[in-house]
Amino acid sequence: MDVSKITRILVVALLACGLAVSAAAQTSVRIGGVMTLEGPFTVLGQEAVRAMEMAFEEVNYSVAGKRIEWIKESSDGRPDVAVGKARKLIEQDKVDILIGPMSGGEGLAIKEYAKSVPGKTILNGFSAAQETTLVNPAPNFFRFGTDGAQWQAGLGSYVYDVKGYRTAAVVAGDYSFGYTQVLGFMTEFCAKGGKVKEKIWVPMGTKDFSSAIARIPDKVDAVYVMFGGADSVNFLTQYFQAGGKIPIIGGSNVTEQTVLSTKGPFQRHIIGIPSAHMVADGIEDPAYLEYVAKYKKRFPDGLAAPSAPFYGYYVATKAALTALAQVGGDLGGNQGKFREALAKLKLDTPTGPVILDENRQAIANIFVTEVAQRPDGTLYTKVVKVMRNVNQTLGQPRDAFVARGVPSRDNPSCP
Amino acid sequence: MLLQVSAGWGRIARWTLMAAAIISYPHFAPQFWVVNIGAYAIVLGIITLSLTFLAAYGGMVSLAQMTVAGVAGYTLAILSSHAANVGSAILPWPWALAIALGSGTLAGILIGLVSVRTKGISLLMITLAIGMIFFYLTQQNTTLFHGFDGFRGVKAPIVFGMSLREPIVFYYLCMGVGIALYAAVSYMVRTPFGIALQGIRDNPRRLAALGYWVELHQVAAFGVAGFVAAVGGVLSLWYHGGISPGSVGITAMVNILIVAVIGGLGQPRGALIGALLFVLIQNFAIDLFIRERFNTVIGLTFLVIVLFSPDGLIGIWERLRRNRKRGLRSAPNGATN
């Protein structure tokens, strides 16, 4: 058998597929979604699907007289996979607008990709790496959610002023999101005069935290902890089993509902842990309560309450739909009008108003919370302080903030 | 006689047609089909080629070929300029490229040295262990490998004013390199080294008795496979614009084996066929009927291929061809009787 035959067949097959690309219909708007429906963030990806579904159903899958066609693609949390899927949606499925992705590394990669498709618009889903919009932003990449450093706004001052902590140690995941959250916390804590004596970075994939726990110094007032969902449960369980007495300050994921609703002895110890995020279970604003009620009614098999990724994708989809309605569905001229509308949008979300800065990054409310217990025994995050309109530079001048460099293991530092 | 001549012409016509199709493909196919399907399938095919070479001619199935590709990719990423805020190019790119390919080859030789005295399942397990060691090294070392985040924004070099990552340029680059490597492998198996290697595969004891240094040949085969995989690793780095532990993790390692098995582990040409089908399924399974369960579609496809054709797509093709030939031969007989 010779190679030419196989190749010939392949070439014919490829041609057939290549020519089968369908032209986008004029009477519809195609919106693509990239979410993690496989890999470690699968649960979050399901929330993203629910979020887009709820937003589209609210407008009955039509905007400005055009039908909405929704095409989903799954990533597994890896940047190269996310970009591959984004490419497929934009270049093969011909979507006009892309919503996603889920995690930090994916966001950075898709931002870079966005620069190569200037005629399309990408709205960030839930990825929260700071550099995505702070450094070399893409003109067609919009983020209506806050970033990982913004999420910690107010936490540093709260634990310094109210809890009276003066020194802290940091135990966090050794990757970009960990660095970003630690920067968000330390920016305020160090500015107040607090000292972070030691930073312990734990490699991703670690399940046994005993060596990290052993390295926590005795003479600190608090330990700042930042891990993803299941790792948080593991760390907290092992910390309390090891007899950990130093109070804990939680990163955004540590007091997430996925952690709080996990059954285990650690639950007894975590009441009172302060944390901060762009959403909180205990928000009592009517708009937020209505949003929660709508989620519970629409998705009886969903989580106990809409999660942060749900909020991220929901707000992004709402932003796209609102701006589309404002321009009457006009995506001509490389979507210039649509993008202008997006940039000027003042969006009312369940957690308050969102506007964008000049880098198309959200300025929005952040909630400082403490873990509390409801009468029925379930844990939730009680709002103790609302930080209004937090911007990406955390209130500092942009030049000075950018000049300090991207978050890393050693940046910032105040030993 | 006449028949032979026409067969010769037919072959020339086929080759010409194939060459024309390969060359003209990027000019009418959409970019997605040129780069994300075409070029990427070739990149994956090249890494898989290194495995099928080892398996088909050396009888050694290694799981660590993705690791070798990763060593080359990481080396080049460390030595070239990238956006992950860690300095600019340390070396001019031709030097960096040469070192990357060299380190990949060396990694192949080292893996060969460690694992060459084992075979079958033991060889698979040893190479799996080596791959996992490298995976954890990249994930936990932050000073050199940048831990979990790895390297991003690695740019392909610019040659004659053109970035090698320009879609059409990249397609031709991959295609050219792929054809060259395939030709090199096909040539090598006919050299005395290649013949000896196949002899060792079939009966190492007899070859040893004849005075061949069996292990040396096997380690050399690992070195050759290492070089091929390193080329694939470099192209993969340019394609993705970066590399992270996920690129050398267990899923990536096993994917190479899956691609090889789909295509047909017994023959190097199976690598590209397997890679193409793999990339097509990866991209389009979600468009098939079960959107929420597309991973099941991928799994089922693999299962069906392995169940019904243990020698992969190549095996299916060859059986069809044999049947057709038999049919042709029997037809005139039937007519005369």
Side-chain angles (χ1 to χ4, degrees), chain A residues 1 6 87-88 92 204, chain B residues 33 36 139 149 273 287 317:
Chain A
M1 182 192 90
I6 306 172
R87 263 178 211 281
K88 176 180 177 271
Q92 172 70 15
M204 291 288 285
Chain B
W33 279 89
N36 291 49
Q139 182 168 274
D149 297 320
I273 316 289
D287 292 335
W317 177 256

Side-chain angles (χ1 to χ4, degrees), chain A residues 302-358:
Chain A
L303 304 179
S307 61
F310 182 96
Y311 174 82
Y313 274 81
Y314 180 74
V315 167
T317 315
K318 291 289 272 186
L321 294 175
T322 314
L324 270 174
Q326 281 180 6
V327 298
D330 179 6
L331 290 172
N334 277 341
Q335 309 192 349
K337 269 186 173 174
F338 170 63
R339 248 178 249 160
E340 213 171 290
L342 270 181
K344 280 194 240 149
L345 203 61
K346 183 174 184 292
L347 192 69
D348 282 315
T349 77
T351 63
V354 176
I355 54 168
L356 298 186
D357 67 11
E358 70 260 37

Side-chain angles (χ1 to χ4, degrees), chain B residues 27-221:
Chain B
H27 294 283
F28 58 81
Q31 204 188 75
F32 175 79
W33 279 89
V34 174
V35 180
N36 291 49
I37 304 290
Y40 184 55
I42 302 171
V43 172
L44 204 58
I46 290 174
I47 302 176
T48 311
L49 175 66
S50 75
L51 171 60
T52 43
F53 165 73
L54 272 183
Y57 301 113
M60 300 175 284
V61 181
S62 159
L63 267 173
Q65 289 314 108
M66 196 67 215
T67 308
V68 174
V71 168
Y74 263 110
T75 310
L76 189 57
I78 291 166
L79 294 177
S80 31
S81 59
H82 41 76
N85 68 55
V86 271
S88 52
I90 297 174
L91 283 174
W93 73 265
W95 287 102
L97 181 62
I99 294 175
L101 295 179
S103 65
T105 313
L106 188 67
I109 291 173
L110 289 177
I111 291 173
L113 278 175
V114 173
S115 52
V116 81
R117 277 162 207 281
T118 61
K119 54 184 170 186
I121 300 285
S122 323
L123 177 63
L124 265 184
M125 288 302 112
I126 284 196
T127 47
L128 173 67
I130 294 171
M132 292 318 288
I133 290 171
F134 184 66
F135 166 71
Y136 280 109
L137 175 70
T138 58
Q139 182 168 274
Q140 305 199 348
N141 177 295
T142 46
T143 44
L144 195 56
F145 293 100
H146 283 259
F148 182 78
D149 297 320
F151 293 88
R152 285 188 306 273
V154 179
K155 298 263 186 291
I158 291 167
V159 183
F160 303 123
M162 279 183 313
S163 165
L164 291 183
R165 189 59 182 78
E166 286 293 315
I168 291 184
V169 180
F170 189 66
Y171 168 82
Y172 284 136
L173 174 72
C174 292
M175 189 52 100
V177 169
I179 290 174
L181 285 175
Y182 179 75
V185 166
S186 306
Y187 170 76
M188 189 173 295
V189 298
R190 294 199 192 94
T191 60
F193 164 71
I195 304 284
L197 191 64
Q198 292 170 69
I200 290 168
R201 172 197 63 193
D202 295 335
N203 196 335
R205 232 186 250 180
R206 178 177 290 180
L207 267 281
L210 286 173
Y212 284 93
W213 189 354
V214 171
E215 284 80 17
L216 182 69
H217 278 77
Q218 290 178 326
V219 170

Side-chain angles (χ1 to χ4, degrees), chain A residues 16-23 91-94, chain B residues 30 33:
Chain A
C17 300
L19 296 174
V21 177
S22 55
E91 292 165 25
Q92 172 70 15
D93 296 325
K94 308 278 177 204
Chain B
W33 279 89

Side-chain angles (χ1 to χ4, degrees), chain A residues 156 159-160 165-172 181-201 217 219-225 249 409-415:
Chain A
V159 298
Y160 189 92
Y165 302 152
R166 293 293 176 267
T167 56
V170 163
V171 187
Q181 286 242 296
V182 170
L183 177 131
F185 166 71
M186 286 179 62
T187 298
E188 275 184 31
F189 189 67
C190 298
K192 280 273 176 184
K195 300 283 177 219
V196 172
K197 294 290 181 194
E198 175 135 20
K199 287 189 222 161
I200 300 157
W201 299 106
K219 293 188 173 63
V220 289
D221 298 335
V223 188
Y224 175 89
V225 178
I249 305 167
R409 302 178 118 220
D410 308 313
N411 178 34
S413 170
C414 59

